[in-house]
Amino acid sequence: VQLQASGGGLVQAGGSLRLSCAASGFTFGDYAIGWFRQVPGKEREGVSCISSSDGDRYYANSVKGRFSISSDNAKDTVYPQMNSLKPEDTAVYYCAASPLGWGRICQVGLYHYWGQGTLVTVSS
């Protein structure tokens, strides 16, 4: 199982970034793919998750209205689009896969496979 996250970088507040998570080694359509973020000293938190089978989605309250997530099942890739970025969005972002396939439940403990993180830095 491999999850390859990419798209992080430095952006000014108010700007946008599009991350991607390319998956391989499992049946993509049976899984939920989630994006989580972590800053030093804090627990990893769920940002947005999506079911690859039925498209159910979850967004953390802190990103609702600013982030959107989509899944391209033909490419086994999930794309979180992050708009109106704020300095508090600065974190290492990780993508992960859950065999439970529940897009509406975005909890770290339900996600078994993790990719490497990609750093997002939002400057004020």
Side-chain angles (χ1 to χ4, degrees), residues 67-95:
F67 290 13
S68 62
I69 191 168
S70 61
S71 177
D72 185 338
N73 286 21
K75 296 182 178 179
D76 290 356
T77 302
V78 168
Y79 304 97
Q81 176 68 42
M82 307 188 297
N83 299 325
S84 302
L85 283 161
K86 304 176 181 180
E88 51 263 43
D89 293 318
T90 295
V92 177
Y93 284 71
Y94 299 89
C95 67

PDB file of all heavy atoms in Angstrom, residues 67-95:
ATOM      1  N   PHE A  67     -12.330  24.712   2.160  1.00  0.00           N
ATOM      2  CA  PHE A  67     -11.707  23.529   1.567  1.00  0.00           C
ATOM      3  C   PHE A  67     -12.777  22.681   0.895  1.00  0.00           C
ATOM      4  O   PHE A  67     -13.925  22.628   1.338  1.00  0.00           O
ATOM      5  CB  PHE A  67     -11.020  22.679   2.632  1.00  0.00           C
ATOM      6  CG  PHE A  67      -9.784  23.276   3.247  1.00  0.00           C
ATOM      7  CD1 PHE A  67      -9.443  24.607   3.083  1.00  0.00           C
ATOM      8  CD2 PHE A  67      -8.940  22.477   4.013  1.00  0.00           C
ATOM      9  CE1 PHE A  67      -8.303  25.144   3.659  1.00  0.00           C
ATOM     10  CE2 PHE A  67      -7.790  22.995   4.600  1.00  0.00           C
ATOM     11  CZ  PHE A  67      -7.484  24.339   4.424  1.00  0.00           C
ATOM     12  N   SER A  68     -12.381  22.013  -0.156  1.00  0.00           N
ATOM     13  CA  SER A  68     -13.250  21.009  -0.775  1.00  0.00           C
ATOM     14  C   SER A  68     -12.389  19.807  -1.146  1.00  0.00           C
ATOM     15  O   SER A  68     -11.184  19.932  -1.370  1.00  0.00           O
ATOM     16  CB  SER A  68     -13.950  21.571  -2.010  1.00  0.00           C
ATOM     17  OG  SER A  68     -13.009  21.933  -2.996  1.00  0.00           O
ATOM     18  N   ILE A  69     -13.021  18.645  -1.185  1.00  0.00           N
ATOM     19  CA  ILE A  69     -12.282  17.427  -1.483  1.00  0.00           C
ATOM     20  C   ILE A  69     -12.994  16.676  -2.592  1.00  0.00           C
ATOM     21  O   ILE A  69     -14.225  16.638  -2.635  1.00  0.00           O
ATOM     22  CB  ILE A  69     -12.128  16.550  -0.212  1.00  0.00           C
ATOM     23  CG1 ILE A  69     -11.137  15.411  -0.438  1.00  0.00           C
ATOM     24  CG2 ILE A  69     -13.477  16.033   0.274  1.00  0.00           C
ATOM     25  CD1 ILE A  69     -10.732  14.700   0.856  1.00  0.00           C
ATOM     26  N   SER A  70     -12.223  16.130  -3.490  1.00  0.00           N
ATOM     27  CA  SER A  70     -12.796  15.359  -4.584  1.00  0.00           C
ATOM     28  C   SER A  70     -11.944  14.114  -4.827  1.00  0.00           C
ATOM     29  O   SER A  70     -10.776  14.059  -4.435  1.00  0.00           O
ATOM     30  CB  SER A  70     -12.870  16.200  -5.861  1.00  0.00           C
ATOM     31  OG  SER A  70     -11.579  16.616  -6.262  1.00  0.00           O
ATOM     32  N   SER A  71     -12.558  13.155  -5.468  1.00  0.00           N
ATOM     33  CA  SER A  71     -11.894  11.876  -5.714  1.00  0.00           C
ATOM     34  C   SER A  71     -11.987  11.525  -7.190  1.00  0.00           C
ATOM     35  O   SER A  71     -13.074  11.603  -7.764  1.00  0.00           O
ATOM     36  CB  SER A  71     -12.558  10.786  -4.864  1.00  0.00           C
ATOM     37  OG  SER A  71     -12.000   9.517  -5.116  1.00  0.00           O
ATOM     38  N   ASP A  72     -10.878  11.174  -7.774  1.00  0.00           N
ATOM     39  CA  ASP A  72     -10.856  10.692  -9.156  1.00  0.00           C
ATOM     40  C   ASP A  72     -10.560   9.197  -9.103  1.00  0.00           C
ATOM     41  O   ASP A  72      -9.398   8.795  -8.997  1.00  0.00           O
ATOM     42  CB  ASP A  72      -9.785  11.437  -9.956  1.00  0.00           C
ATOM     43  CG  ASP A  72      -9.793  11.070 -11.432  1.00  0.00           C
ATOM     44  OD1 ASP A  72     -10.304   9.992 -11.780  1.00  0.00           O
ATOM     45  OD2 ASP A  72      -9.276  11.863 -12.230  1.00  0.00           O
ATOM     46  N   ASN A  73     -11.607   8.410  -9.155  1.00  0.00           N
ATOM     47  CA  ASN A  73     -11.433   6.961  -9.011  1.00  0.00           C
ATOM     48  C   ASN A  73     -10.695   6.339 -10.192  1.00  0.00           C
ATOM     49  O   ASN A  73     -10.115   5.266 -10.067  1.00  0.00           O
ATOM     50  CB  ASN A  73     -12.781   6.277  -8.809  1.00  0.00           C
ATOM     51  CG  ASN A  73     -13.333   6.525  -7.406  1.00  0.00           C
ATOM     52  OD1 ASN A  73     -12.938   7.476  -6.738  1.00  0.00           O
ATOM     53  ND2 ASN A  73     -14.252   5.683  -6.980  1.00  0.00           N
ATOM     54  N   ALA A  74     -10.705   6.995 -11.331  1.00  0.00           N
ATOM     55  CA  ALA A  74      -9.970   6.482 -12.485  1.00  0.00           C
ATOM     56  C   ALA A  74      -8.461   6.595 -12.282  1.00  0.00           C
ATOM     57  O   ALA A  74      -7.688   5.814 -12.833  1.00  0.00           O
ATOM     58  CB  ALA A  74     -10.382   7.233 -13.745  1.00  0.00           C
ATOM     59  N   LYS A  75      -8.077   7.569 -11.466  1.00  0.00           N
ATOM     60  CA  LYS A  75      -6.649   7.794 -11.214  1.00  0.00           C
ATOM     61  C   LYS A  75      -6.242   7.379  -9.802  1.00  0.00           C
ATOM     62  O   LYS A  75      -5.091   7.546  -9.419  1.00  0.00           O
ATOM     63  CB  LYS A  75      -6.306   9.263 -11.424  1.00  0.00           C
ATOM     64  CG  LYS A  75      -6.488   9.748 -12.852  1.00  0.00           C
ATOM     65  CD  LYS A  75      -6.077  11.208 -12.989  1.00  0.00           C
ATOM     66  CE  LYS A  75      -6.212  11.679 -14.429  1.00  0.00           C
ATOM     67  NZ  LYS A  75      -5.825  13.114 -14.580  1.00  0.00           N
ATOM     68  N   ASP A  76      -7.214   6.881  -9.027  1.00  0.00           N
ATOM     69  CA  ASP A  76      -6.938   6.512  -7.634  1.00  0.00           C
ATOM     70  C   ASP A  76      -6.272   7.669  -6.888  1.00  0.00           C
ATOM     71  O   ASP A  76      -5.276   7.492  -6.174  1.00  0.00           O
ATOM     72  CB  ASP A  76      -6.046   5.271  -7.554  1.00  0.00           C
ATOM     73  CG  ASP A  76      -6.768   4.003  -7.986  1.00  0.00           C
ATOM     74  OD1 ASP A  76      -7.975   4.086  -8.279  1.00  0.00           O
ATOM     75  OD2 ASP A  76      -6.125   2.947  -8.047  1.00  0.00           O
ATOM     76  N   THR A  77      -6.852   8.828  -7.057  1.00  0.00           N
ATOM     77  CA  THR A  77      -6.252  10.041  -6.485  1.00  0.00           C
ATOM     78  C   THR A  77      -7.341  10.903  -5.859  1.00  0.00           C
ATOM     79  O   THR A  77      -8.448  11.011  -6.386  1.00  0.00           O
ATOM     80  CB  THR A  77      -5.508  10.837  -7.562  1.00  0.00           C
ATOM     81  OG1 THR A  77      -4.494  10.005  -8.147  1.00  0.00           O
ATOM     82  CG2 THR A  77      -4.833  12.069  -6.961  1.00  0.00           C
ATOM     83  N   VAL A  78      -7.000  11.485  -4.726  1.00  0.00           N
ATOM     84  CA  VAL A  78      -7.898  12.404  -4.030  1.00  0.00           C
ATOM     85  C   VAL A  78      -7.252  13.775  -4.011  1.00  0.00           C
ATOM     86  O   VAL A  78      -6.039  13.898  -3.783  1.00  0.00           O
ATOM     87  CB  VAL A  78      -8.185  11.907  -2.600  1.00  0.00           C
ATOM     88  CG1 VAL A  78      -8.864  12.971  -1.766  1.00  0.00           C
ATOM     89  CG2 VAL A  78      -9.052  10.657  -2.650  1.00  0.00           C
ATOM     90  N   TYR A  79      -8.078  14.798  -4.229  1.00  0.00           N
ATOM     91  CA  TYR A  79      -7.578  16.163  -4.324  1.00  0.00           C
ATOM     92  C   TYR A  79      -8.300  17.057  -3.309  1.00  0.00           C
ATOM     93  O   TYR A  79      -9.499  17.313  -3.477  1.00  0.00           O
ATOM     94  CB  TYR A  79      -7.831  16.734  -5.712  1.00  0.00           C
ATOM     95  CG  TYR A  79      -7.263  15.925  -6.835  1.00  0.00           C
ATOM     96  CD1 TYR A  79      -8.053  15.023  -7.542  1.00  0.00           C
ATOM     97  CD2 TYR A  79      -5.929  16.079  -7.220  1.00  0.00           C
ATOM     98  CE1 TYR A  79      -7.534  14.285  -8.587  1.00  0.00           C
ATOM     99  CE2 TYR A  79      -5.412  15.341  -8.265  1.00  0.00           C
ATOM    100  CZ  TYR A  79      -6.214  14.448  -8.948  1.00  0.00           C
ATOM    101  OH  TYR A  79      -5.702  13.727  -9.987  1.00  0.00           O
ATOM    102  N   PRO A  80      -7.614  17.520  -2.305  1.00  0.00           N
ATOM    103  CA  PRO A  80      -8.191  18.564  -1.483  1.00  0.00           C
ATOM    104  C   PRO A  80      -7.818  19.935  -2.058  1.00  0.00           C
ATOM    105  O   PRO A  80      -6.646  20.202  -2.306  1.00  0.00           O
ATOM    106  CB  PRO A  80      -7.544  18.350  -0.110  1.00  0.00           C
ATOM    107  CG  PRO A  80      -6.369  17.465  -0.355  1.00  0.00           C
ATOM    108  CD  PRO A  80      -6.378  17.003  -1.768  1.00  0.00           C
ATOM    109  N   GLN A  81      -8.821  20.735  -2.291  1.00  0.00           N
ATOM    110  CA  GLN A  81      -8.604  22.101  -2.765  1.00  0.00           C
ATOM    111  C   GLN A  81      -8.746  23.017  -1.562  1.00  0.00           C
ATOM    112  O   GLN A  81      -9.785  23.006  -0.897  1.00  0.00           O
ATOM    113  CB  GLN A  81      -9.640  22.472  -3.830  1.00  0.00           C
ATOM    114  CG  GLN A  81      -9.560  23.909  -4.311  1.00  0.00           C
ATOM    115  CD  GLN A  81      -8.313  24.193  -5.104  1.00  0.00           C
ATOM    116  OE1 GLN A  81      -7.885  23.388  -5.932  1.00  0.00           O
ATOM    117  NE2 GLN A  81      -7.703  25.350  -4.861  1.00  0.00           N
ATOM    118  N   MET A  82      -7.697  23.765  -1.286  1.00  0.00           N
ATOM    119  CA  MET A  82      -7.693  24.615  -0.108  1.00  0.00           C
ATOM    120  C   MET A  82      -7.685  26.071  -0.549  1.00  0.00           C
ATOM    121  O   MET A  82      -6.713  26.527  -1.168  1.00  0.00           O
ATOM    122  CB  MET A  82      -6.474  24.302   0.761  1.00  0.00           C
ATOM    123  CG  MET A  82      -6.350  22.819   1.102  1.00  0.00           C
ATOM    124  SD  MET A  82      -5.052  22.469   2.298  1.00  0.00           S
ATOM    125  CE  MET A  82      -3.604  22.987   1.400  1.00  0.00           C
ATOM    126  N   ASN A  83      -8.758  26.780  -0.252  1.00  0.00           N
ATOM    127  CA  ASN A  83      -8.894  28.179  -0.627  1.00  0.00           C
ATOM    128  C   ASN A  83      -8.928  29.050   0.618  1.00  0.00           C
ATOM    129  O   ASN A  83      -9.153  28.565   1.730  1.00  0.00           O
ATOM    130  CB  ASN A  83     -10.169  28.381  -1.442  1.00  0.00           C
ATOM    131  CG  ASN A  83     -10.173  27.576  -2.728  1.00  0.00           C
ATOM    132  OD1 ASN A  83      -9.139  27.391  -3.364  1.00  0.00           O
ATOM    133  ND2 ASN A  83     -11.350  27.102  -3.114  1.00  0.00           N
ATOM    134  N   SER A  84      -8.750  30.331   0.416  1.00  0.00           N
ATOM    135  CA  SER A  84      -8.802  31.308   1.516  1.00  0.00           C
ATOM    136  C   SER A  84      -7.954  30.843   2.696  1.00  0.00           C
ATOM    137  O   SER A  84      -8.402  30.853   3.844  1.00  0.00           O
ATOM    138  CB  SER A  84     -10.254  31.518   1.961  1.00  0.00           C
ATOM    139  OG  SER A  84     -11.048  31.964   0.885  1.00  0.00           O
ATOM    140  N   LEU A  85      -6.757  30.451   2.394  1.00  0.00           N
ATOM    141  CA  LEU A  85      -5.891  29.897   3.422  1.00  0.00           C
ATOM    142  C   LEU A  85      -5.544  30.932   4.479  1.00  0.00           C
ATOM    143  O   LEU A  85      -5.401  32.127   4.190  1.00  0.00           O
ATOM    144  CB  LEU A  85      -4.627  29.330   2.792  1.00  0.00           C
ATOM    145  CG  LEU A  85      -4.831  27.973   2.108  1.00  0.00           C
ATOM    146  CD1 LEU A  85      -3.713  27.677   1.123  1.00  0.00           C
ATOM    147  CD2 LEU A  85      -4.917  26.870   3.148  1.00  0.00           C
ATOM    148  N   LYS A  86      -5.425  30.452   5.702  1.00  0.00           N
ATOM    149  CA  LYS A  86      -5.101  31.280   6.848  1.00  0.00           C
ATOM    150  C   LYS A  86      -3.792  30.799   7.470  1.00  0.00           C
ATOM    151  O   LYS A  86      -3.435  29.626   7.324  1.00  0.00           O
ATOM    152  CB  LYS A  86      -6.215  31.178   7.887  1.00  0.00           C
ATOM    153  CG  LYS A  86      -7.603  31.523   7.382  1.00  0.00           C
ATOM    154  CD  LYS A  86      -8.641  31.285   8.468  1.00  0.00           C
ATOM    155  CE  LYS A  86     -10.043  31.609   7.977  1.00  0.00           C
ATOM    156  NZ  LYS A  86     -11.057  31.376   9.033  1.00  0.00           N
ATOM    157  N   PRO A  87      -3.106  31.662   8.174  1.00  0.00           N
ATOM    158  CA  PRO A  87      -1.869  31.231   8.840  1.00  0.00           C
ATOM    159  C   PRO A  87      -2.080  30.020   9.747  1.00  0.00           C
ATOM    160  O   PRO A  87      -1.181  29.179   9.864  1.00  0.00           O
ATOM    161  CB  PRO A  87      -1.451  32.471   9.633  1.00  0.00           C
ATOM    162  CG  PRO A  87      -1.986  33.607   8.836  1.00  0.00           C
ATOM    163  CD  PRO A  87      -3.301  33.125   8.293  1.00  0.00           C
ATOM    164  N   GLU A  88      -3.253  29.929  10.352  1.00  0.00           N
ATOM    165  CA  GLU A  88      -3.511  28.782  11.228  1.00  0.00           C
ATOM    166  C   GLU A  88      -3.703  27.478  10.468  1.00  0.00           C
ATOM    167  O   GLU A  88      -3.819  26.415  11.086  1.00  0.00           O
ATOM    168  CB  GLU A  88      -4.727  29.051  12.131  1.00  0.00           C
ATOM    169  CG  GLU A  88      -5.962  29.509  11.410  1.00  0.00           C
ATOM    170  CD  GLU A  88      -6.122  31.025  11.434  1.00  0.00           C
ATOM    171  OE1 GLU A  88      -5.099  31.745  11.217  1.00  0.00           O
ATOM    172  OE2 GLU A  88      -7.248  31.500  11.628  1.00  0.00           O
ATOM    173  N   ASP A  89      -3.737  27.524   9.147  1.00  0.00           N
ATOM    174  CA  ASP A  89      -3.768  26.294   8.349  1.00  0.00           C
ATOM    175  C   ASP A  89      -2.369  25.711   8.168  1.00  0.00           C
ATOM    176  O   ASP A  89      -2.220  24.614   7.617  1.00  0.00           O
ATOM    177  CB  ASP A  89      -4.376  26.560   6.970  1.00  0.00           C
ATOM    178  CG  ASP A  89      -5.844  26.928   7.035  1.00  0.00           C
ATOM    179  OD1 ASP A  89      -6.586  26.295   7.817  1.00  0.00           O
ATOM    180  OD2 ASP A  89      -6.248  27.854   6.301  1.00  0.00           O
ATOM    181  N   THR A  90      -1.361  26.451   8.602  1.00  0.00           N
ATOM    182  CA  THR A  90       0.014  25.963   8.495  1.00  0.00           C
ATOM    183  C   THR A  90       0.174  24.674   9.288  1.00  0.00           C
ATOM    184  O   THR A  90      -0.141  24.608  10.471  1.00  0.00           O
ATOM    185  CB  THR A  90       1.000  27.021   9.017  1.00  0.00           C
ATOM    186  OG1 THR A  90       0.935  28.166   8.162  1.00  0.00           O
ATOM    187  CG2 THR A  90       2.418  26.481   9.036  1.00  0.00           C
ATOM    188  N   ALA A  91       0.641  23.638   8.610  1.00  0.00           N
ATOM    189  CA  ALA A  91       0.785  22.329   9.241  1.00  0.00           C
ATOM    190  C   ALA A  91       1.422  21.371   8.234  1.00  0.00           C
ATOM    191  O   ALA A  91       1.545  21.691   7.046  1.00  0.00           O
ATOM    192  CB  ALA A  91      -0.565  21.775   9.675  1.00  0.00           C
ATOM    193  N   VAL A  92       1.790  20.225   8.729  1.00  0.00           N
ATOM    194  CA  VAL A  92       2.132  19.116   7.841  1.00  0.00           C
ATOM    195  C   VAL A  92       0.839  18.364   7.563  1.00  0.00           C
ATOM    196  O   VAL A  92       0.131  17.980   8.502  1.00  0.00           O
ATOM    197  CB  VAL A  92       3.182  18.181   8.458  1.00  0.00           C
ATOM    198  CG1 VAL A  92       3.449  16.999   7.531  1.00  0.00           C
ATOM    199  CG2 VAL A  92       4.474  18.947   8.726  1.00  0.00           C
ATOM    200  N   TYR A  93       0.536  18.184   6.315  1.00  0.00           N
ATOM    201  CA  TYR A  93      -0.697  17.517   5.908  1.00  0.00           C
ATOM    202  C   TYR A  93      -0.365  16.097   5.463  1.00  0.00           C
ATOM    203  O   TYR A  93       0.575  15.863   4.691  1.00  0.00           O
ATOM    204  CB  TYR A  93      -1.366  18.281   4.772  1.00  0.00           C
ATOM    205  CG  TYR A  93      -2.057  19.534   5.237  1.00  0.00           C
ATOM    206  CD1 TYR A  93      -1.332  20.650   5.651  1.00  0.00           C
ATOM    207  CD2 TYR A  93      -3.454  19.595   5.307  1.00  0.00           C
ATOM    208  CE1 TYR A  93      -1.961  21.792   6.116  1.00  0.00           C
ATOM    209  CE2 TYR A  93      -4.094  20.744   5.766  1.00  0.00           C
ATOM    210  CZ  TYR A  93      -3.343  21.832   6.159  1.00  0.00           C
ATOM    211  OH  TYR A  93      -3.981  22.965   6.624  1.00  0.00           O
ATOM    212  N   TYR A  94      -1.162  15.162   5.954  1.00  0.00           N
ATOM    213  CA  TYR A  94      -0.981  13.742   5.651  1.00  0.00           C
ATOM    214  C   TYR A  94      -2.243  13.191   5.000  1.00  0.00           C
ATOM    215  O   TYR A  94      -3.353  13.536   5.403  1.00  0.00           O
ATOM    216  CB  TYR A  94      -0.734  12.935   6.926  1.00  0.00           C
ATOM    217  CG  TYR A  94       0.487  13.321   7.705  1.00  0.00           C
ATOM    218  CD1 TYR A  94       0.429  14.312   8.677  1.00  0.00           C
ATOM    219  CD2 TYR A  94       1.703  12.672   7.495  1.00  0.00           C
ATOM    220  CE1 TYR A  94       1.549  14.665   9.406  1.00  0.00           C
ATOM    221  CE2 TYR A  94       2.825  13.018   8.231  1.00  0.00           C
ATOM    222  CZ  TYR A  94       2.737  14.014   9.180  1.00  0.00           C
ATOM    223  OH  TYR A  94       3.854  14.343   9.910  1.00  0.00           O
ATOM    224  N   CYS A  95      -2.070  12.325   4.019  1.00  0.00           N
ATOM    225  CA  CYS A  95      -3.223  11.587   3.525  1.00  0.00           C
ATOM    226  C   CYS A  95      -3.160  10.157   4.062  1.00  0.00           C
ATOM    227  O   CYS A  95      -2.072   9.646   4.364  1.00  0.00           O
ATOM    228  CB  CYS A  95      -3.326  11.603   2.007  1.00  0.00           C
ATOM    229  SG  CYS A  95      -2.047  10.725   1.117  1.00  0.00           S
TER     230      CYS A  95
END
